[in-house]
Amino acid sequence: MTSKIIGTGSYAPAQIVTNDDLSKIVETSDEWIVSRTGIRERRISLEEGTSYMATEAAKKAMENAGVHVDDIDIIVLATTTADNCCPAGACEVQAALGAEKAVAFDIIAACSGFLFGLNVVNSFIQTGIYRTALVIGADHLSKLVDWTDRGTCVLFGDGAGAAVVQASETGIRHMVMGSDGSKGSILSCVARTGGNHFNGNVPELGYLHMNGQEVFKFAVKKVPECVSQVLAGANMDVEEIKYFILHQANYRIVEAAAKRLRQPLEKFPMNMDRYGNTSAASVPLLLDELNQEGKLKQGDKLVLAGFGAGMTWGAAVMEW
Ligand code: COA
């Protein structure tokens, strides 16, 4: 017994912010951003919070899967930008959907979050504890970005992607995930320092801070490495894979992964030109796009992979 993705959905805020729009806020240019990252525009939330975006994506995924809300046993929301410290965003999604029979909780694994969530529900399903799951990746990174820092503010966007995952004889063949906390400082955001009544410290809310070159080096090594590892674990050859659906941080990282895996770039769909890096939403957003375009056929072999703050990474190989 394994589990299979039987439906996908996504949501992106309506507000488009182009590179030219950003060049009015910070010293940058469309040419610089496109040539370094492949990003042309991103969606920025004006009103929508993480739970709202996650709920909209989840509704579409359930509709696409043809499942009723009462079928959902577990909701896992991967996010680093929940609207509140508590309740968990997943519980807010549960309430908004009326998924009364489900258990709901969040996980934080930054841009690897969707892969981590998928691994968690796959494990529950494999052990027979649950049968049908909603895995959602949603992030509202625009609220963590320092809009005066051109090194980071041009990279990120807001959005959500969701998948309905169900027990099945075919589907996920293998998954891997990993983390290296010793590299945590290369991509971080201090949420709340230890201020309390007794030490007199004032709680501080930080912005996203990144050492771009270190993150880049990490990604171009780790992404192909974990893709090779997941394929080896499934006893599959890289040639069998139709699409490598990688975290959409930067087209140069995707290109480098394709090169190291010795696979044509056509097998690596990309949409960061329109959404930027949407963190936990990026992999399911792209997966949903391919699904809606009818590019995924039953039996296709896919690899999904993500990397992000932590540092964290994860990959899955599956039959569609
Ligand atoms: N517009 C114009 N110039 C910019 C700029 C921007 N938006 N951002 C940085 N620069 C400048 C820098 O200030 C620097 O100027 P200097 O040489 O005068 O000091 C110059 O461009 C080169 O900066 P550098 O950081 O070396 O650029 P880079 O080629 O490494 O590209 C990134 C920067 C962020 C695009 C790249 O490092 C990257 O993609 N890293 C991975 C980031 C990522 O994927 N993060 C998410 C992980 S989930």
Side-chain angles (χ1 to χ4, degrees):
M1 177 63 68
T2 184
S3 70
K4 192 182 188 100
I5 294 180
I6 59 164
T8 61
S10 60
Y11 179 86
Q15 181 67 47
I16 295 173
V17 174
T18 66
N19 292 346
D20 285 337
D21 293 332
L22 291 180
S23 70
K24 296 180 186 119
I25 309 174
V26 289
E27 204 182 321
T28 189
S29 66
D30 181 55
E31 193 280 327
W32 193 97
I33 301 171
V34 173
S35 63
R36 293 295 213 292
T37 70
I39 298 165
R40 292 178 185 278
E41 59 187 41
R42 70 285 294 140
R43 304 296 185 92
I44 298 294
S45 161
L46 300 183
E47 301 289 340
E48 305 97 325
T50 298
S51 296
Y52 176 83
M53 295 192 287
T55 302
E56 292 306 300
K59 282 182 193 163
K60 290 184 197 157
M62 288 194 301
E63 196 185 323
N64 184 242
V67 297
H68 188 267
V69 69
D70 288 341
D71 297 330
I72 304 295
D73 301 314
I74 173 168
I75 301 171
V76 174
L77 171 62
T79 185
T80 314
T81 52
D83 297 330
N84 308 297
C85 291
C86 59
C91 293
E92 294 183 324
V93 172
Q94 174 190 22
L97 295 175
E100 290 170 14
K101 295 183 178 162
V103 61
F105 57 90
D106 290 0
I107 57 170
I108 301 178
C111 307
S112 313
F114 182 78
L115 269 304
F116 278 39
L118 192 59
N119 207 338
V120 166
V121 303
N122 182 46
S123 305
F124 273 123
I125 291 172
Q126 279 184 342
T127 51
I129 295 173
Y130 298 121
R131 186 179 141 69
T132 307
L134 250 177
V135 188
I136 312 163
D139 266 309
H140 184 186
L141 279 186
S142 64
K143 71 179 179 181
L144 301 186
V145 163
D146 176 354
W147 289 97
T148 66
D149 174 16
R150 66 179 182 174
T152 53
C153 77
V154 303
L155 303 177
F156 300 101
D158 300 327
V164 176
V165 183
Q166 198 166 60
S168 168
E169 291 304 321
T170 60
I172 294 178
R173 297 260 186 106
H174 194 57
M175 295 200 70
V176 294
M177 54 183 180
S179 49
D180 179 358
S182 72
K183 290 197 169 63
S185 63
I186 66 174
L187 181 52
S188 65
C189 181
V190 176
R192 204 160 278 206
T193 50
N196 61 40
H197 174 76
F198 302 97
N199 64 16
N201 293 340
V202 179
E204 186 190 323
L205 294 175
Y207 288 118
L208 203 69
H209 181 79
M210 182 179 73
N211 180 333
Q213 290 186 4
E214 285 303 314
V215 174
F216 192 90
K217 276 194 265 174
F218 170 86
V220 296
K221 182 170 175 283
K222 200 48 98 176
V223 174
E225 206 173 273
C226 76
V227 169
S228 300
Q229 195 188 345
V230 82
L231 287 170
N235 207 13
M236 287 172 70
D237 192 86
V238 69
E239 302 293 339
E240 293 179 59
I241 304 303
K242 181 173 178 184
Y243 290 126
F244 297 85
I245 299 164
L246 306 187
H247 172 46
Q248 300 290 290
N250 182 316
Y251 88 94
R252 291 189 297 147
I253 293 173
V254 178
E255 252 182 9
K259 208 168 160 195
R260 286 200 188 193
L261 292 164
R262 297 177 200 278
Q263 291 296 295
L265 201 54
E266 298 73 64
K267 283 184 162 191
F268 294 74
M270 291 185 241
N271 66 3
M272 81 278 283
D273 57 328
R274 284 166 288 129
Y275 296 107
N277 178 346
T278 55
S279 192
S282 111
V283 169
L285 196 62
L286 180 56
L287 182 70
D288 183 48
E289 209 167 87
L290 295 168
N291 190 21
Q292 300 311 325
E293 288 169 1
K295 290 188 175 156
L296 306 179
K297 308 278 181 247
Q298 196 178 353
D300 282 348
K301 314 287 188 305
L302 309 174
V303 164
L304 275 51
F307 70 94
M311 296 300 281
T312 55
W313 59 92
V317 57
M318 64 184 68
E319 185 176 328
W320 190 251

